Amino acid sequence: MTEGPASASRSVPRVVHFRLAGGASRPVPAAVSAAPVRIGRATPPQPPQPAPPAVERRASGDAEPPRRRAGLALATGSLAFVLGTVNVTVTNVAFPDIVRSFPGVSDAITGWIVSGYALAFASTIIVGGRLADRYGRLLVFRVGVLGLVVSSIIAGLAPGVGVLLAARAIQGLCGALTVPSSLALVLPQFPAGRQASVIGIWAAAGMVASGIAPGLAAVILEVSSWRGVYLAIVPIAALAFLGSLRFLYETAKRDLSTPLDLLGVIMGTAAVFLIVLGTLQGRHWGWSSTWTLACFGGGAILLPLLLLRSARHPEPLFDPRLFRIRSFAVANLAVALSMIGAFTSWFLWPLFLTSVWGYSLLGVGLAFTPAPVVSGAVAILSGRWADKHGFRGLMTLASIFATAGMLWLLFFLDENVRYWFAMFPSTMLFGLGLGVLASQLNSAALADIPTASIATANGVHQSLRYGLAAVGVAVAIAVLGGTHQVHLYNWMWLLLGLLQALCIPLMWFGYPRGPSSAR
């Protein structure tokens, strides 16, 4: 298979020995090599070499057991992904209450409460990953988490819709800093043969949280208001920041000898921004209006120009040669198809249950609770399987389950309130499929990525995941058109089912066979 862009200049991994409080020394890997880390492949031992002074390490007096510390580091990194996902799902549940709090504000404005976060997150997450790899993952992570603390407080106390929209955009920007850097800070603390499991747990935490969050948001709304939903995010973000002080250390080698391609940063951010903006605003401006066509046209022009510039610049926003890695290219295409269905469903299900079946918000939360529990369990188990056997067959089977869940809704969900027959089986099938896909597609995408590019590659992956989520929600809003007719929901189930079904042949025929250690 094709090697990554750093394969021509591999350096020897460094190992640093630190004196612990009890007098014993412990080796800590300096994850600064450009050599690719392949999930499932053990790195051969190398002679110790001194660490570069720019790479931070934990305090020498820290005598905490490495395995326990690694687990706590994973918990800290997972909190960042939790924050990135729950900011989407809790707003979906709180959205009707938010709209009622600002009477007279048009749908075109209030819609940005949901879409503004996704737009800011998706258009800047590649930049967030690149900044983390270049300037320090730990620094970028801490800045992002502190920003989430502040912006969540502002959102919860917002006196008007303008302040709320600004706070949501800041939340998206800060989430774009934390999510890609969080995984790059965690992976070096685990052996290569466990990294599929680690990524699975990291991604599963976000998936489970996004599924449970609607229920928790509904409980908060029963006793408080939508403001309490955003203020509840504050202690989670604060806990992630405290964990970063105690359990995370720097894993990026800062090399500022060559200037970063700032024009490329602007072009990449603008391209994603314009495409998502055109999708979000198309139904208000008109799909054939000058503004809509200008957004799509601008994005379509900027993307290929960005690729050409990045291929020639010594310090690009991201290296296009990453897409020559077959596993990365196929997994990213699969996540683009699959996550449209995931995020759009989480937007549509609460609307259907409340508007068609007349469920309370608490009833909506309880209806969603079983699926994320199943998703979390299969995500962890699937990571262990992928470490030993690879991703190809696993991803194909998961795509079949997720497709079946969508088609179940198409055939059986209607005006008749039949939760255990029409809704519950679909959420279980969807949970089984997406529990694997949402976690292990991330692992599959990073399986053959060079260590020095993990945060950047993860930023690209997450940009596709959340950018297309915003597109899917915009399409759903356009199809429903402010009504809640069952046949319009059926069109959405059919569209999302077809997109998910495309992942079946893609993963079976496109993704490399076997674990990465065998390739």
Side-chain angles (χ1 to χ4, degrees):
M1 65 176 295
T2 306
E3 293 292 343
S7 59
S9 59
R10 297 179 178 173
S11 59
V12 178
R14 298 178 173 92
V15 177
V16 186
H17 288 263
F18 285 91
R19 186 67 54 185
L20 305 182
S25 62
R26 169 167 55 85
V28 178
V32 299
S33 169
V37 173
R38 301 184 185 278
I39 295 176
R41 174 177 295 180
T43 304
Q46 300 291 342
Q49 295 184 15
V55 179
E56 301 177 15
R57 291 295 176 219
R58 299 187 49 80
S60 60
D62 179 16
E64 190 168 12
R67 180 174 296 182
R68 180 186 175 190
R69 191 198 65 193
L72 293 171
L74 175 56
T76 300
S78 298
L79 280 178
F81 197 34
V82 166
L83 290 166
T85 56
V86 299
N87 261 308
V88 178
T89 53
V90 297
T91 301
N92 291 343
V93 175
F95 184 70
D97 192 47
I98 296 174
V99 172
R100 286 191 294 269
S101 298
F102 301 108
V105 180
S106 67
D107 292 342
I109 299 298
T110 56
W112 282 101
I113 298 171
V114 175
S115 303
Y117 174 87
L119 177 60
F121 187 97
S123 59
T124 58
I125 194 170
I126 299 178
V127 179
R130 187 68 183 91
L131 293 177
D133 280 336
R134 179 176 172 83
Y135 297 106
R137 296 161 181 171
L138 190 57
L139 172 64
V140 169
F141 180 86
R142 288 173 178 170
V143 170
V145 172
L146 280 179
L148 284 170
V149 172
V150 175
S151 58
S152 297
I153 294 174
I154 295 173
L157 302 178
V161 69
V163 176
L164 178 58
L165 292 176
R168 289 288 291 160
I170 296 172
Q171 283 182 320
L173 294 173
C174 293
L177 296 177
T178 59
V179 171
S181 57
S182 64
L183 187 58
L185 287 167
V186 170
L187 279 181
Q189 299 202 35
F190 290 86
R194 290 187 57 198
Q195 288 185 355
S197 298
V198 170
I199 298 175
I201 294 172
W202 176 84
M207 291 294 295
V208 172
S210 63
I212 295 176
L216 297 178
V219 172
I220 294 173
L221 290 170
E222 288 288 332
V223 300
S224 180
S225 70
W226 61 267
R227 298 181 184 278
V229 171
Y230 289 122
L231 292 176
I233 296 173
V234 175
I236 303 175
L239 185 61
F241 180 76
L242 293 176
S244 72
L245 297 176
R246 181 69 179 83
F247 308 119
L248 300 179
Y249 59 77
E250 184 56 78
T251 61
K253 181 180 180 180
R254 301 171 188 172
D255 182 5
L256 308 181
S257 57
T258 306
L260 181 65
D261 182 13
L262 294 180
L263 178 59
V265 169
I266 296 172
M267 292 171 64
T269 303
V272 178
F273 182 89
L274 288 173
I275 292 173
V276 178
L277 177 63
T279 306
L280 294 174
Q281 292 295 100
R283 71 187 186 98
H284 299 293
W285 293 338
W287 295 108
S288 59
S289 71
T290 302
W291 286 107
T292 303
L293 295 177
C295 285
F296 288 134
I301 293 172
L302 285 174
L303 279 178
L305 291 177
L306 172 66
L307 294 176
L308 289 174
R309 180 176 178 84
S310 297
R312 299 171 182 175
H313 199 279
E315 283 291 329
L317 173 61
F318 78 99
D319 194 333
R321 289 176 295 175
L322 289 173
F323 283 98
R324 297 180 185 177
I325 303 175
R326 181 177 170 187
S327 56
F328 182 72
V330 172
N332 276 297
L333 180 55
V335 85
L337 297 170
S338 184
M339 290 302 107
I340 291 179
F343 284 95
T344 307
S345 295
W346 291 330
F347 175 77
L348 289 173
W349 288 345
L351 285 180
F352 185 93
L353 291 177
T354 55
S355 302
V356 180
W357 281 5
Y359 270 41
S360 66
L361 291 177
L362 183 59
V364 171
L366 294 174
F368 286 149
T369 300
V373 174
V374 173
S375 295
V378 298
I380 296 172
L381 294 175
S382 63
R384 296 175 181 175
W385 172 274
D387 278 329
K388 296 180 180 179
H389 306 287
F391 299 96
R392 176 173 167 265
L394 182 68
M395 297 293 99
T396 303
L397 180 61
S399 298
I400 293 173
F401 276 110
T403 302
M406 283 297 180
L407 296 181
W408 188 281
L409 292 174
L410 174 64
F411 292 129
F412 299 113
L413 192 65
D414 53 29
E415 295 91 345
N416 300 310
V417 181
R418 299 177 296 172
Y419 171 76
W420 293 106
F421 174 74
M423 177 66 76
F424 180 76
S426 172
T427 59
M428 288 295 98
L429 289 168
F430 203 63
L432 286 170
L434 264 297
V436 177
L437 289 170
S439 58
Q440 293 311 312
L441 279 176
N442 209 153
S443 303
L446 302 180
D448 302 304
I449 295 298
T451 302
S453 301
I454 286 180
T456 302
N458 195 29
V460 173
H461 182 81
Q462 300 300 332
S463 178
L464 287 170
R465 182 186 294 249
Y466 287 97
L468 290 172
V471 171
V473 171
V475 171
I477 293 174
V479 170
L480 293 180
T483 67
H484 298 283
Q485 301 177 46
V486 172
H487 76 277
L488 296 178
Y489 281 94
N490 285 339
W491 279 113
M492 288 304 305
W493 308 138
L494 177 61
L495 172 62
L496 299 178
L498 291 175
L499 291 175
Q500 183 63 65
L502 293 175
C503 291
I504 300 173
L506 175 65
M507 293 307 299
W508 183 254
F509 296 107
Y511 197 83
R513 296 173 179 265
S516 58
S517 58
R519 298 199 291 272

